[in-house]
Amino acid sequence: MDMLTGEYRNTLDGKGRILFPSKLRTVLAENVLIVTQALDRCLWLFTPEEWRVVSSKLMDSASPFSEKNRLVLRRFIAPAQELEFDRSGRISIPQSLREYASLSKECILLGVNKYIELWDAESYKAYLEQSENSFRDAAEELGGIIF
């Protein structure tokens, strides 16, 4: 699979459907994505193959006897749902996940190599503004990377 990259602005319709960018669709081997809650009040979308890898690693390392592990499993694994593209290239985001991410009409899709983030546009703008100083510090810590 090629990398899932890029930033795309699309509109969520009244039925909770969003047109998935054709550039990203052409990279996908299947007509299906797995969507779940993510950190920072956005959604993460994975290919089924990548979801199997990520969820297996998480399940293998998490103990149901650990309160913190159960919390992560309940917030990440439990709400995951399989979405199939319709003939128009749209996916329908379940109501519970739309509410979690506060998705309104204007949305941002971000390709982050192995997964995609789906944000409400205003929430993403606020996140970028609030995290600017942290971003600079985090980038500085990567100073040893040479390319």
Side-chain angles (χ1 to χ4, degrees):
M1 179 181 76
D2 291 332
M3 292 186 302
L4 299 165
T5 59
E7 181 176 322
Y8 308 88
R9 290 184 172 272
N10 279 349
T11 303
L12 191 71
D13 71 15
K15 295 181 180 179
R17 299 174 300 192
I18 189 166
L19 181 63
F20 205 74
S22 60
K23 183 177 178 192
L24 292 177
R25 268 196 331 267
T26 59
V27 174
L28 302 175
E30 299 180 49
N31 202 28
V32 171
L33 289 173
I34 310 300
V35 62
T36 193
Q37 295 177 359
L39 302 171
D40 304 315
R41 287 290 195 195
C42 68
L43 302 177
W44 283 343
L45 295 94
F46 296 90
T47 64
E49 176 185 352
E50 192 63 33
W51 176 250
R52 281 188 286 278
V53 170
V54 170
S55 62
S56 291
K57 285 181 180 179
L58 185 55
M59 293 303 297
D60 290 346
S61 65
S63 169
F65 297 105
S66 163
E67 183 178 352
K68 288 181 179 179
N69 287 184
R70 287 192 312 272
L71 178 61
V72 171
L73 295 176
R74 289 175 183 147
R75 297 285 297 269
F76 184 67
I77 299 289
Q81 296 187 43
E82 185 175 288
L83 307 178
E84 193 168 331
F85 292 99
D86 67 13
R87 284 179 263 139
S88 300
R90 297 174 299 193
I91 53 174
S92 183
I93 308 299
Q95 179 69 28
S96 60
L97 293 174
R98 288 194 316 261
E99 289 173 3
Y100 170 80
S102 301
L103 297 181
S104 59
K105 190 170 180 143
E106 297 301 318
C107 294
I108 304 282
L109 288 148
L110 298 173
V112 191
N113 195 349
K114 292 186 176 186
Y115 65 95
I116 298 160
E117 292 184 349
L118 176 58
W119 287 81
D120 174 75
E122 286 300 314
S123 296
Y124 184 61
K125 180 180 176 186
Y127 168 79
L128 289 176
E129 291 169 359
Q130 293 168 358
S131 64
E132 183 62 29
N133 289 335
S134 297
F135 168 66
R136 290 179 185 278
D137 293 342
E140 186 67 33
E141 289 180 22
L142 298 173
I145 295 176
I146 300 170
F147 58 92

